[in-house]
Amino acid sequence: MTEQPLTSEQLRFLAAAAGAAPSLHNSQPWRFRSVPDSLGVRVYADLDRAVPITDPDGRALHISVGAALFNLRVAALRLGRDPEVRLLPDEAEPRLVATVRLARPSPVPLPLGRDLFDAIGQRHSSRQPFANRDVPEAVLGELITAALDEGAVLSPLEEAGVRRVLALTHDAERRTGTDLARMAETRTWLRPEKPAADGIPVSALGPQDHDARVPMRSFTSRTQPTTASQRFEALPQLATLTTHDDRPADWLRAGQAMERVWLLATAHGVRVSVLHQAVEWPDTRWGLREPGEGPGHVQLVLRLGYGPPGPATPRRPVEEILDLTGRAGAAERGTS
Ligand SMILES: Cc1cc2nc3c(=O)[nH]c(=O)nc-3n(C[C@H](O)[C@H](O)[C@H](O)COP(=O)(O)O)c2cc1C
């Protein structure tokens, strides 16, 4: 059975869900376009929204677009459609990172195990201190399985691993803080006063750790603290997300895995923040690998725990990220 062409309203629904994804500095580097027969969506990287000094290879950009792609898949299932994804379908068009065919009804049972749609709107970065409370093994197990299903390895770290990753993140954070070009670039994504549709509002930033154990990213600079420091959890629950290779397709898989883990964690009441600093320098990134864990490229460090949900951050309006001009006129007339 083939589904009807997507209506403009359905395309807006899909793009809005995709656009709610997390992205480096809330740069939202994505665009969406209907396929000509309106039975799918093309997902593009918006290179004008790159963060080139911090992310010279576009790795974090692809992770962000991968997260948006995962949200699109979740929203498609909510519409009753089975998303068939092709990553990087056209070598001649590098900005086209995926096509998602939505021509078939969604299978039963749901391929993701549960409906994650409501978690899309509830998920935020939580940069506040977490409680000294363990994330249950059973929940960590579900998160590990979710990442594996997306082709990535989530490794919750034991104490020695946490201390190693914290030390590397401190080192990277210190380096970043003294790199004037990087700090200037980061500041261009901070939104100190006026509300904006992208970037990070100052209200979404958290405190620094009073005991200097958890190196939260300083988006301003060491000399300009935005809020008083607070005591963070004694031993944070950190997890690395690793892929076998380190090419654009792997970054897209990592982004989908990150978002699946993050939405599932949200559904379980577990908060997440990203500690990305050590991944941004080649040597500290290399040190993030678990000794003895075989080959692999760490794409993300996630901090998991229980605390405030974090505030909602702004998103660009759907009209800015969705291009409806590719739609076949017949499909539009027949269905809208
Ligand atoms: C690849 C990537 C790297 C990120 N790095 C950091 C980071 O180092 N520190 C941080 O606090 N947030 C980090 N974030 C979270 C983004 O700042 C956040 O997703 C964005 O501001 C939107 O906010 P939201 O997650 O609450 O929707 C990162 C997100 C992504 C996808």
Side-chain angles (χ1 to χ4, degrees):
M1 193 177 99
T2 303
E3 292 282 306
Q4 292 291 310
L6 293 158
T7 64
S8 301
E9 197 187 332
Q10 287 173 323
L11 286 162
R12 282 195 197 95
F13 173 81
L14 294 168
S23 57
L24 180 66
H25 299 348
N26 200 18
S27 50
Q28 304 169 46
W30 43 63
R31 288 192 65 81
F32 309 95
R33 184 182 291 168
S34 167
V35 298
D37 66 3
S38 294
L39 280 167
V41 178
R42 289 186 179 145
V43 180
Y44 293 86
D46 185 345
L47 303 184
D48 296 337
R49 300 189 144 264
V51 185
I53 301 174
T54 302
D55 181 37
D57 304 326
R59 196 188 56 78
L61 182 145
H62 280 79
I63 288 179
S64 306
V65 182
L69 170 60
F70 185 77
N71 278 6
L72 198 154
R73 288 167 50 199
V74 171
L77 291 170
R78 181 48 82 93
L79 288 180
R81 303 206 178 213
D82 182 16
E84 290 175 85
V85 178
R86 265 187 71 202
L87 293 184
L88 304 168
D90 189 348
E91 272 180 24
E93 208 185 341
R95 287 181 187 225
L96 176 60
V97 298
T99 54
V100 187
R101 289 294 295 170
L102 297 169
R104 294 193 319 212
S106 64
V108 179
L110 280 176
L112 302 174
R114 66 191 285 170
D115 185 352
L116 292 172
F117 183 79
D118 292 341
I120 290 177
Q122 294 157 1
R123 183 215 58 81
H124 308 299
S125 295
S126 180
R127 301 186 181 89
Q128 297 295 322
F130 291 162
N132 286 313
R133 175 180 156 202
D134 290 343
V135 180
E137 291 290 330
V139 174
L140 291 175
E142 277 189 46
L143 302 182
I144 291 169
T145 305
L148 273 181
D149 283 352
E150 299 298 325
V153 176
L154 183 79
S155 306
L157 302 178
E158 301 294 336
E159 181 170 347
V162 170
R163 296 205 186 284
R164 186 172 47 80
V165 169
L166 288 179
L168 289 161
T169 307
H170 268 296
D171 183 13
E173 173 66 17
R174 184 189 44 75
R175 264 192 254 175
T176 301
T178 55
D179 184 324
L180 295 181
R182 283 193 196 216
M183 288 311 291
E185 179 182 75
T186 300
R187 273 196 299 275
T188 65
W189 290 101
L190 259 193
R191 302 288 177 256
E193 283 146 24
K194 277 189 267 163
D198 64 2
I200 305 186
V202 169
S203 57
L205 299 181
Q208 289 292 322
D209 184 359
H210 185 265
D211 299 323
R213 263 189 307 246
V214 185
M216 300 303 287
R217 187 176 204 123
S218 168
F219 286 86
T220 48
S221 83
R222 288 261 158 260
T223 52
Q224 297 172 320
T226 46
T227 47
S229 62
Q230 288 179 33
R231 202 149 265 136
F232 275 60
E233 62 272 25
L235 186 71
Q237 172 68 72
L238 301 185
T240 55
L241 190 78
T242 304
T243 53
H244 191 269
D245 292 308
D246 200 26
R247 296 167 304 199
D250 304 296
W251 305 335
L252 291 169
R253 277 186 207 102
Q256 291 178 86
M258 172 193 73
E259 184 64 347
R260 183 156 167 186
V261 165
W262 203 333
L263 294 183
L264 190 54
T266 302
H268 278 292
V270 174
R271 314 298 182 204
V272 177
S273 59
V274 182
L275 288 176
H276 195 248
Q277 303 99 310
V279 192
E280 292 167 6
W281 296 90
D283 56 335
T284 49
R285 184 182 183 202
W286 184 253
L288 288 172
R289 297 158 79 244
E290 278 272 56
E293 270 232 337
H297 300 267
V298 174
Q299 305 294 351
L300 287 155
V301 176
L302 302 178
R303 169 177 164 256
L304 309 162
Y306 295 94
T313 51
R315 292 296 186 275
R316 291 188 295 151
V318 167
E319 294 67 41
E320 272 187 34
I321 58 172
L322 175 65
D323 179 359
L324 289 170
T325 55
R327 303 198 66 206
E332 181 78 306
R333 281 194 301 279
T335 59
S336 296

